Amino acid sequence: MSLAQELQKRGFINQFSAPTAAEILDGAPRTVYHGIDPSADSAHAGNFVNWMLLSHLKRAGHKIIFLVGGGTGMIGDPKSDVERPLSDPAEVAERVGKLKKQAEQLLGDSEIEFVNNADWLMQAGLIPFLRDIGKHFTVNELIKKEAISKRLEGENGISYTEFAYPLLQAYDYLTLYRTHGCDLQVGGSDQWGNIIAGVDLIRRVEQKSVHALTVPLIVDKTTGKKFGKSEGNAIWLDPLKTSPYQFYQFWLNVTDENVIDYLKLFTFLSLEEIAAIEKDFTLNPGKRQAQKVLAAEVTSIVHGNEQAGIVASVSDLLFGEAKLESLTDAQKEVIQSNAPTFALVQAMSAVDVLVATSLASSKREARTFIESGAITLNGEKILTVDAELSAIDGINGVGILKRGKKHLSVIMM
């Protein structure tokens, strides 16, 4: 199977600038660039799909340039609804460093070249830029771009600063073509207009053909929301912003409608392996084995095998069949940092503990839950409303108090 065929089957390919994707991807190795602006100090799952594409391209022998927009980040790509606030230059520089380090960890720094467009954009003189670059763009073209056109329809319009952003990204492509022979830019489908602007600029200035390819925006089929911080549901790659346990739980809890698509996009499992997982998943959806594989694979890629193993085992301790007798210090630390906990400093009635941990809203409700058999401690049902909890009920100093299967509190004893 060719690279273009595999990437299409995995769902990576949306728009492309040649008659077929194969013409871009299956010939001689290209120099590919992808850029990210430092609008935050970490990438998120919406960015990560592009990084996975870069990994596939690198494995296929294409040279990768990863651009962090220290220059364009001073302005920001126009949003369709509101003007971006200008970021402090020192903050932009700090974010650039963090994003570069993050990309180096995930993509590897030995085979990928990292560049910062501040190195040339901050040196560009206004008059030379307008003469040499601006002359090749018409206002008619720019106002057709979706984000710009929507802003022009609103009351506040768009500043010239953001209006000129496509020229800057096009100039990036021209610069990398001249300095590195870059002939393919990849990005999300919302970047198509900006990427094509660079393709057109190189054709006009250098009389050369280069290419563009975009990845579809990843959308949750059940909610219609995209991955991304603008949706308020960002899953960050930085463990300080989204802990490895939270990260694992996100992928573990994806819906049946999404899981096979995500296995193709966010893991390096072969299509044959994914087909086998899908077959088993179709026969036994209740086991959620596809979600377990997805969570383990993606967490391993982002946070490493060791951390992925720890958080997977903690998840099994809290929601699966694993027993607390095997609890390690590392697992205990993850539990304390991520699960709701309650410190039991002295013996208390089970009813009072249920209220204190918000597993019941009142003592009356707590007694009802106990009488109905809905409350367990370390997998064993609490059978009487007069039951007390104390340190002797813990295992390795921990107890897992549950209401049903999904509501729990970790009791530190």
Side-chain angles (χ1 to χ4, degrees), residues 129-316:
F129 183 84
L130 291 176
R131 282 180 59 89
D132 298 337
I133 305 302
K135 192 66 174 176
H136 296 284
F137 291 83
T138 68
V139 172
N140 308 60
E141 294 174 30
L142 293 172
I143 63 176
K144 292 178 183 178
K145 297 184 184 299
E146 184 177 5
I148 293 176
S149 65
K150 286 186 177 181
R151 290 277 290 281
L152 290 174
E153 293 170 1
E155 293 182 2
N156 297 322
I158 184 171
S159 70
Y160 180 76
T161 301
E162 289 195 356
F163 184 75
Y165 186 94
L167 278 69
L168 301 180
Q169 188 166 331
Y171 185 52
D172 286 345
Y173 200 170
L174 175 62
T175 299
L176 292 176
Y177 171 80
R178 287 172 169 172
T179 58
H180 293 74
C182 182
D183 56 356
L184 172 60
Q185 183 182 173
V186 299
S189 60
D190 58 340
Q191 289 295 307
W192 177 252
N194 290 342
I195 297 173
I196 284 296
V199 172
D200 291 340
L201 179 63
I202 292 169
R203 176 178 52 81
R204 291 165 182 163
V205 173
E206 301 289 341
Q207 291 77 52
K208 297 293 183 181
S209 295
V210 296
H211 290 289
L213 186 146
T214 64
V215 177
L217 292 181
I218 308 304
V219 176
D220 186 329
K221 292 179 179 178
T222 57
T223 65
K225 289 186 176 181
K226 67 179 182 179
F227 283 147
K229 55 186 181 300
S230 61
E231 292 290 343
N233 63 339
I235 302 301
W236 302 98
L237 307 189
D238 184 343
L240 298 179
K241 297 171 78 73
T242 298
S243 75
Y245 176 80
Q246 294 169 330
F247 188 84
Y248 178 90
Q249 288 298 314
F250 169 79
W251 300 102
L252 186 64
N253 288 305
V254 302
T255 61
D256 294 351
E257 292 82 357
N258 291 305
V259 65
I260 301 302
D261 289 344
Y262 293 175
L263 280 167
K264 294 175 182 177
L265 289 166
F266 293 103
T267 79
F268 293 115
L269 294 175
S270 69
L271 291 172
E272 291 75 19
E273 290 174 303
I274 295 171
I277 293 169
E278 182 176 15
K279 182 178 179 180
D280 179 67
F281 177 69
T282 302
L283 295 173
N284 304 289
K287 292 171 58 179
R288 296 182 65 79
Q289 188 60 30
Q291 281 90 343
K292 292 177 182 178
V293 173
L294 174 68
E297 291 290 328
V298 182
T299 307
S300 293
I301 292 170
V302 175
H303 296 296
N305 294 332
E306 181 179 359
Q307 192 63 243
I310 292 172
V311 297
S313 64
V314 167
S315 182
D316 200 28

